[in-house]
Amino acid sequence: QVQLVESGGGLVQAGGSLRLSCAASLRTFSAHTMGWFRQTPGKEREFVAAIIWSGDNTFYADFVKGRFTISRDNAKNTVYLQMGSLKPDDTAVYYCAATGRRYSRVIYSTEKEYDYWGQGTQVTVSS
C-alpha cells in the first residue's frame, strides 16, 4: 500500500519560511511526477507545484512563483516544498500527491491526474 506522509507544517509569521517534506513508500518513487496541492475550508483543493520524475522540470501556480520551490531526492523517496515570503493567504492544509504514470515528462496540475495522496499538513501564516 502506498503511503505519502507530509511533515514540516506549522505556525509562522508573515514573511517567514517553512519547508514541507513528503516521504513516500512508493517503491517506484523515482519514476513518478510529484505534486503539492493546498486546501482551505470551503474551497476547492488547488494546485501549488509539481516536479517530474527526473527533477529537471517543474511547474508552479502563479500565486507561488518566485516564493516557493519544489525539489525531490529520489534516493530518499522524498519531495520538498520550500516556502518563502509567506502570506496569510498561504494558510491551508498542504497535500503531496503522486501520479500513477511513470517516466512522464508532462507536468500535471489537476487533481485527477494524481493517484496517491498524503493526509496533509497544516500551514498557518499569521499577520
Side-chain angles (χ1 to χ4, degrees), residues 9-85:
L11 175 64
V12 64
Q13 287 189 331
S17 301
L18 278 177
R19 189 176 82 154
L20 305 184
S21 300
C22 172
S25 66
L26 190 58
R27 183 176 56 83
T28 53
F29 174 85
S30 62
H32 297 262
T33 293
M34 299 296 296
W36 286 96
F37 290 75
R38 70 186 189 184
Q39 189 172 25
T40 54
K43 291 188 176 181
E44 298 284 323
R45 191 151 51 183
E46 62 182 357
F47 171 78
V48 176
I51 185 168
I52 67 168
W53 61 275
S54 57
D56 61 349
N57 193 11
T58 58
F59 182 66
Y60 298 90
D62 285 345
F63 55 78
V64 301
K65 282 182 181 176
R67 299 191 299 124
F68 292 10
T69 302
I70 188 171
S71 61
R72 65 190 298 160
D73 185 339
N74 287 341
K76 295 183 179 179
N77 276 25
T78 302
V79 63
Y80 304 97
L81 186 67
Q82 179 68 48
M83 305 187 295
S85 301

Side-chain angles (χ1 to χ4, degrees), residues 1-2 10 14-16 28 32 39-40 50 56 73 90 94 98 100 111 116 122:
Q1 185 176 350
V2 175
T28 53
H32 297 262
Q39 189 172 25
T40 54
D56 61 349
D73 185 339
D90 294 318
Y94 284 73
E111 286 189 64
Y116 308 108
Q122 176 70 47

